[in-house]
Amino acid sequence: MLEGNQPRKRRVFRWPGAARETARAYLHERLHSEESRRGIPTDLKSLIAKLVEVSGNPSDACRRFVRQIGIREKQSYRPWTNKEQQKLLDLIVSQPVHQVALLLRRSPASVHSMSRSGGLSDRMNSRAASAP
């Protein structure tokens, strides 16, 4: 019987040759040409689904496997709307950054970046100076 203090064994996943070939073909075709993509997944989600199907491993293990091979996808960027920028301006004066990030459903880094690059820091300083 396992005790609560014993460390869990690390799971080891086996990767069949078909999984390795699928991932390498995806990487090769993504870097080179779009015409010859017969049977090769076109996006990361479909590649992960294909690897789960071929290998029988869970999707989180397939994502790690893909990253180890060298396939890295860019994070999607959601542009700031004018309404969000105005809300940021109103909130940042009275609340800490992490709270503003939660309210706007943005990362703290995104809030910092927008407050610096969007000229909001200048507006915040002038707004704070004009406050009684």
Side-chain angles (χ1 to χ4, degrees), residues 2-113:
L2 283 176
E3 301 239 352
N5 296 338
Q6 289 182 346
R8 288 178 29 178
K9 271 190 154 183
R10 236 182 129 167
R11 291 179 64 184
V12 177
F13 298 103
R14 304 273 180 210
W15 298 101
R20 291 181 189 281
E21 283 304 312
T22 302
R24 286 189 186 121
Y26 173 86
L27 181 61
H28 183 268
E29 292 304 317
R30 191 180 65 142
L31 294 175
H32 291 91
S33 68
E34 295 285 329
E35 302 93 39
S36 59
R37 283 188 169 234
R38 284 182 231 116
I40 298 171
T42 57
D43 64 340
L44 189 59
K45 273 187 176 181
S46 57
L47 174 64
I48 300 296
K50 178 81 172 169
L51 290 175
V52 167
E53 178 185 321
V54 169
S55 68
N57 293 331
S59 62
D60 62 321
C62 292
R63 277 190 209 91
R64 284 192 302 273
F65 172 70
V66 162
R67 278 194 304 269
Q68 287 171 351
I69 286 187
I71 299 172
R72 300 212 182 336
E73 295 290 322
K74 285 187 172 184
Q75 294 258 337
S76 62
Y77 171 74
R78 185 168 50 103
W80 285 78
T81 63
N82 290 338
K83 188 176 179 180
E84 284 178 319
Q85 289 179 358
Q86 184 60 46
K87 193 169 184 180
L88 171 63
L89 179 60
D90 294 339
L91 292 172
I92 201 75
V93 175
S94 61
Q95 296 185 4
V97 172
H98 69 275
Q99 187 65 34
V100 174
L102 288 173
L103 291 170
L104 294 175
R105 295 184 181 170
R106 299 277 184 167
S107 69
S110 178
V111 171
H112 275 294
S113 178

Side-chain angles (χ1 to χ4, degrees), residues 93 122-132:
V93 175
D122 297 335
R123 284 190 258 168
M124 286 185 333
N125 291 338
S126 66
R127 188 175 187 184
S130 65

